[in-house]
């Protein structure tokens, strides 16, 4: 596996994964505490749940959302919806600390003025994985996606525009941000089954935030 050194505190490093795909190592570390507090406030109102895919498969990753719309899946398909189907209420608002992080990270990666309207929050417990997929349920592929890793280390798979393209593996650690757009916007990607472990702030889990502009 490509070995990326862990972020040295206060020294973010930028690594290009492919044209349009940047890993900003350690970028979110300085605001880890408000990020985790915000996640906790969101899951209080919109708890994590295991969605069912159109193929009738229960996802191993538990999900929730904040923002104007949230990504949901059920037997009828995938969509962005303004209403949390579990509660019947709108999703919690996107906290300013989230929107500001997404804007700054995108700008650093070369995508100016990124104003996401959705933030999908994923929880990986040991063994949870995300199969190779494209993020293509958004209407605007000009905007990038910004992904923030918190908690346990994950192995991120990054391929090409065809499912059969060879994938590279990257180690994502707590505080890393991946910003992803332009020629990489529709690249296949996934997450390998999470290894067990104990993170000092988050315990035996990985939390991933992905920010999207859906329209
Ligand atoms: C994850 N991330 O890291 C899942 N999608 O847990 C994604 O599916 C993803 O990291 C698009 C762009 C960046 C990502
Ligand atoms: Fe994705």
């Amino acid at each position: 596996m490509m070995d990326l050194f862990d972020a040295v505190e206060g020294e973010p490093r930028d690594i290009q994964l492919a044209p349009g795909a940047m890993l900003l190592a350690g970028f979110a570390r300085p605001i880890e505490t408000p990020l985790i507090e915000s996640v906790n406030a969101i899951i209080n109102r919109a708890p994590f749940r295991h969605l069912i895919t159109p193929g009738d498969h229960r996802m191993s990753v538990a999900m929730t959302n904040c923002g104007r719309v949230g990504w949901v899946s059920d037997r009828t398909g995938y969509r962005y919806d303004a209403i949390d189907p579990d509660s019947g209420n709108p999703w919690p608002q996107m906290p300013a600390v989230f929107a500001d992080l997404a804007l700054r990270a995108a700008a650093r990666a070369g995508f100016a003025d990124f104003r996401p309207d959705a933030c999908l929050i994923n929880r990986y417990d040991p063994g949870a994985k995300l199969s190779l997929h494209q993020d293509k349920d958004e209407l605007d592929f000009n905007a990038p996606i910004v992904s923030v890793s918190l908690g346990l280390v994950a192995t991120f798979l990054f391929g090409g525009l065809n499912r059969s393209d060879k994938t590279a593996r990257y180690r994502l650690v707590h505080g890393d941000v991946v910003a992803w757009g332009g020629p990489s916007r529709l690249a296949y990607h996934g997450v390998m089954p999470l290894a067990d472990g104990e993170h000092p702030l988050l315990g035996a889990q990985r939390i991933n935030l992905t920010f999207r502009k859906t329209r």
Side-chain angles (χ1 to χ4, degrees), residues 93-107:
Q93 276 197 345
M94 192 180 300
V97 65
F98 279 25
D100 175 67
L101 171 63
L103 178 67
R104 288 186 297 112

Side-chain angles (χ1 to χ4, degrees), residues 8-106:
V8 177
E9 204 149 0
E11 285 184 38
R13 290 166 309 109
D14 301 347
I15 298 148
Q16 189 178 73
L17 307 186
M22 294 291 295
L23 166 53
L24 310 176
F27 191 85
R29 276 297 288 276
I31 56 167
E32 61 187 6
T33 303
L35 287 178
I36 292 169
E37 286 172 359
S38 295
V39 169
N40 287 332
I42 291 162
I43 62 178
N44 221 13
R45 292 185 41 211
F48 284 117
R49 76 290 306 263
H50 293 272
L51 297 173
I52 305 295
T53 66
D56 216 12
H57 167 77
R58 176 187 186 267
M59 297 184 75
S60 61
V61 177
M63 298 185 173
T64 188
N65 295 277
C66 66
R68 183 185 66 79
V69 291
W71 186 86
V72 291
S73 172
D74 60 23
R75 286 179 182 83
T76 69
Y78 307 119
R79 66 184 181 279
Y80 283 100
D81 202 316
I83 300 298
D84 174 352
D86 277 14
S87 67
N89 297 324
W91 297 102
Q93 276 197 345
M94 192 180 300
V97 65
F98 279 25
D100 175 67
L101 171 63
L103 178 67
R104 288 186 297 112

Side-chain angles (χ1 to χ4, degrees), residues 135-156:
D135 288 18
K136 59 177 185 190
D137 299 322
E138 302 75 26
L139 296 176
D140 180 4
F141 294 144
N142 291 310
I145 291 181
V146 169
S147 163
V148 179
S149 294
L150 297 170
L152 290 180
V153 173
T155 301
F156 188 59

Side-chain angles (χ1 to χ4, degrees), residues 61 120 122 124 130-131 133-135 144-149 154 156 172 178-180 185 187 189-191 206-212:
V61 177
L120 172 61
N122 295 149
Y124 295 73
L130 201 57
S131 305
H133 67 279
Q134 295 171 295
D135 288 18
I145 291 181
V146 169
S147 163
V148 179
S149 294
F156 188 59
L172 297 182
V178 180
W180 184 284
R185 179 61 182 75
H189 59 280
V191 179
R206 169 177 184 258
I207 303 284
N208 172 260
L209 316 175
T210 59
F211 294 95
R212 295 106 188 275

